[in-house]
Amino acid sequence: MSSAAPTPTPARRLPLAGVLRVGRPSDIWFKPALSVVVAVGVPNLTLLALGRLDLAMYTMAGSLCALYAHNLPYAARARALAWVVLGMLAAVAVALVTASLTSSAVVLVAVGALLAAAQKALCDATRIGPPGPVIFAFISSASLFTPQTLGQVPGHLALAAAAGAWAWLVGMAPGLVRPHGPERRATARALNAAAAYAEMFVATSASTAASTAASAEASPTAAAGRERARAARAAGAAAVHAAWQSLFATGARSEPRRALERLVVRAEIALAAPADTDPGRLRAWARDLRGTGPVPSAEPASAADELLGVEAERAAGRRPLADRLGPLLPLALRTALGCALAGYVSLALGVGRPYWALVTAASLYQANITLTWSRGVQRVVGNLVGVLLFAAVAPLAHLGPAALVLCCLAFNFGAEALISRNYWLGSICVTPMALLITEFTGFQRPGELMTDRIVDTVVGALVGFAAAVAVTNRRAGDRIEIALDTVERAREHTARLIAAERPAPGALDAARRSLAAALVELRATADAAAGEWWQRAVPTERVLLAERTGHRTLATAVRRQGLHALEGTRA
């Protein structure tokens, strides 16, 4: 390791091209979209029938929990959703008690900022996934600015808990029809990613051969092809790792799970030997995993292939929560500072709903400043277009409470259907939905709502980004060094086991999984640090070298493990 002083990375140009580019929808976009409609619709329509739509904000707190954990297997989803509901209830309880004890907007903004920071840290540490801390911040901040008495708090929390229980049931219901759906999707993604890498590898090899024949080894085209192949390999490794993690969370190794394991093993073998892979066969298996039919049979080419994944559960477990929270403290500090300042600037401007500015700031913070900037642009554009959409829909929503509820449900569905294509598209529906929710207690003047929303959006985005620039994540460089050391130790351990004549049963498999996990973590850490400002330069060459040698060791481990397995079956 060099003893020279680290060179800070200067501020780079913030991107604009591609920030608003519309991508492909998520392969399960309809699941959260339909789930949130059912989870929100039943409580809201019940309150509508009872003439108590003014209580809908409290049921929304529980209902929106249905947005989480759709990628998790049902055994893990049951636990994750339960924790999401409990976390939401805890945040709402703090907010409602605070609102009942004080009406000071200064205090309320401070509590909202601290809650948003805690929610950001916990969501990132637990890796709960989309929609992350934004829903928590939206609900808890709105609850802070809802007038309360201490005696009303238990009843309102009971409504949120009842809706949360309903959201849990909604989230678990698809398991009755397709009990292995999440694992099947994760396996299909691994197969498709491996096929993409195999295709890219063959194309890059042909391009490199042509360049060499033309004495143009260093041609930009060949270099770009190698970079695309490296990215495809990293994506394939991440998808395979995610598939194993999904299978680890399913509990007992049932026959469908064993069949899925064999398919993930085939994806691993494709990453290890892309030149000998048939991408079409991998993609055909991935297509067959759709729906509720039987898991396609990937009979192993040898007993070795069958045994590659048997000891997978021996891989290293997840780090304790406290260890994962440490590196997230700079992001939590950014969130607390940005949300507080955004709320106070909104108050100073006389805006009636400063929590909108607070939530806008909370929604910006991503893994680094560059991504935070992109999210800020998307948020502003989406909200401004969403305000115009609200202006068009408001007359329809004001026809009566039933029309208001139905419009909100439509925007709930639209937000989840569009947000996976690009965040700004989802924001177009989120904005009118948030404006309509404020009218559950009574219709308001659209012009005032629209003005407040525009001002708070701009204030939250500007102040929130300024806080991100002010609070530099200097730990990002340290995390790269730690990730590089982890990869090197895992690679050396795997290499020793490869060289051993007869490693302990399951040892090579566990080492291989640990190395794969370390490589995925290294890529995520390097990508996050690359978009951070004013810190030591990212050691790009060291990262690329570690990835290259690590993936070669993985490929050797797959081949060597196959030899050991074959020897074991012949003994």
Side-chain angles (χ1 to χ4, degrees):
M1 187 179 298
S2 175
S3 59
T7 303
T9 300
R12 55 182 59 80
R13 183 177 298 175
L14 293 169
L16 281 176
V19 171
L20 302 180
R21 183 179 297 122
V22 177
R24 297 181 61 183
S26 163
D27 56 351
I28 58 167
W29 65 267
F30 55 92
K31 291 183 178 292
L34 292 174
S35 294
V36 74
V37 169
V38 175
V40 172
V42 170
N44 280 3
L45 292 173
T46 301
L47 292 174
L48 176 64
L50 296 174
R52 292 305 309 269
L53 200 55
D54 56 303
L55 299 175
M57 194 199 77
Y58 306 108
T59 59
M60 290 283 286
S63 296
L64 292 178
C65 294
L67 291 171
Y68 290 87
H70 285 278
N71 281 319
L72 293 178
Y74 290 102
R77 185 183 303 188
R79 298 188 296 270
L81 275 178
W83 280 112
V84 167
V85 172
L86 290 175
M88 181 67 79
L89 291 176
V92 171
V94 171
L96 293 182
V97 170
T98 303
S100 68
L101 296 177
T102 181
S103 59
S104 170
V106 173
V107 174
L108 296 177
V109 167
V111 173
L114 292 175
L115 282 174
Q119 291 155 355
K120 171 66 176 173
L122 287 171
C123 285
D124 286 0
T126 58
R127 298 181 179 178
I128 188 62
V134 178
I135 299 298
F136 290 95
F138 169 65
I139 293 295
S140 59
S141 299
S143 300
L144 278 167
F145 286 85
T146 301
Q148 271 323 277
T149 64
L150 203 56
Q152 292 176 313
V153 172
H156 292 162
L157 283 177
L159 286 172
W166 170 243
W168 187 92
L169 291 173
V170 170
M172 296 299 297
L176 299 174
V177 178
R178 200 167 182 243
H180 298 286
E183 304 96 287
R184 291 168 69 115
R185 288 193 298 271
T187 303
R189 293 186 193 111
L191 291 168
N192 282 324
Y197 171 59
E199 291 168 344
M200 184 67 67
F201 178 86
V202 172
T204 301
S205 299
S207 175
T208 301
S211 297
T212 302
S215 300
E217 296 88 341
S219 70
T221 301
R226 288 192 295 271
E227 177 61 25
R228 288 194 297 271
R230 184 200 63 77
R233 181 183 62 191
V240 167
H241 177 65
W244 280 121
Q245 292 299 103
S246 180
L247 290 171
F248 295 162
T250 59
R253 296 182 69 240
S254 60
E255 183 52 40
R257 175 180 162 176
R258 292 173 185 272
L260 291 171
E261 283 182 359
R262 288 193 289 269
L263 290 172
V264 179
V265 166
R266 306 305 283 175
E268 282 189 301
I269 293 173
L271 292 178
D276 301 326
T277 296
D278 179 4
R281 190 179 187 191
L282 296 180
R283 294 191 187 280
W285 281 331
R287 286 192 300 271
D288 290 342
L289 286 172
R290 299 173 183 170
T292 58
V295 176
S297 176
E299 292 302 327
S302 67
D305 294 350
E306 173 73 30
L307 296 173
L308 278 174
V310 170
E311 299 295 333
E313 283 80 359
R314 297 192 181 188
R318 298 181 67 182
R319 291 181 297 159
L321 179 60
D323 293 346
R324 284 177 272 144
L325 281 172
L328 298 172
L329 291 180
L331 294 179
L333 181 58
R334 280 179 182 176
T335 304
L337 179 63
C339 291
L341 291 178
Y344 291 140
V345 171
S346 179
L347 282 175
L349 293 176
V351 178
R353 295 171 181 81
Y355 64 87
W356 279 347
L358 188 156
V359 174
T360 294
S363 70
L364 302 185
Y365 299 115
Q366 306 299 301
N368 55 48
I369 290 180
T370 304
L371 293 175
T372 297
W373 159 262
S374 298
R375 178 56 56 86
V377 173
Q378 293 163 353
R379 176 87 180 190
V380 171
V381 172
N383 278 18
L384 293 180
V385 177
V387 166
L388 297 178
L389 181 58
F390 170 75
V393 171
L396 174 62
H398 288 177
L399 291 177
L404 177 63
V405 170
L406 292 176
C407 285
C408 282
L409 292 177
F411 285 128
N412 267 297
F413 182 88
E416 296 310 312
L418 295 173
I419 204 162
S420 64
R421 298 182 70 98
N422 194 302
Y423 183 81
W424 74 273
L425 284 176
S427 294
I428 291 176
C429 291
V430 170
T431 297
M433 180 185 70
L435 294 173
L436 291 174
I437 288 174
T438 65
E439 300 194 306
F440 282 159
T441 56
F443 294 136
Q444 302 179 46
R445 289 180 297 217
E448 180 181 330
L449 282 176
M450 293 164 62
T451 302
D452 283 356
R453 185 70 178 191
I454 292 172
V455 172
D456 279 340
T457 295
V458 174
V459 167
L462 291 178
V463 176
F465 182 72
V469 174
V471 180
T472 303
N473 185 9
R474 297 189 179 275
R475 295 189 181 187
D478 296 335
R479 292 184 65 195
I480 288 185
E481 296 295 334
I482 294 172
L484 283 168
D485 290 343
T486 302
V487 166
E488 183 57 25
R489 287 195 301 270
R491 191 196 65 77
E492 290 177 352
H493 177 57
T494 305
R496 285 194 297 269
L497 291 173
I498 292 172
E501 185 175 349
R502 276 190 180 278
L508 183 54
D509 191 88
R512 182 167 56 91
R513 307 252 182 251
S514 295
L515 176 56
L519 286 168
V520 171
E521 185 67 23
L522 173 61
R523 174 44 44 197
T525 302
D527 288 343
E532 199 60 58
W533 282 10
W534 305 116
Q535 54 152 338
R536 72 185 67 178
V538 175
T540 304
E541 292 300 322
R542 288 181 60 201
V543 170
L544 292 177
L545 178 61
E547 289 185 320
R548 188 180 307 118
T549 56
H551 283 291
R552 286 175 179 170
T553 302
L554 279 179
T556 305
V558 169
R559 291 192 291 269
R560 181 59 176 159
Q561 191 176 0
L563 291 175
H564 282 309
L566 278 174
E567 291 168 2
T569 59
R570 292 167 182 164

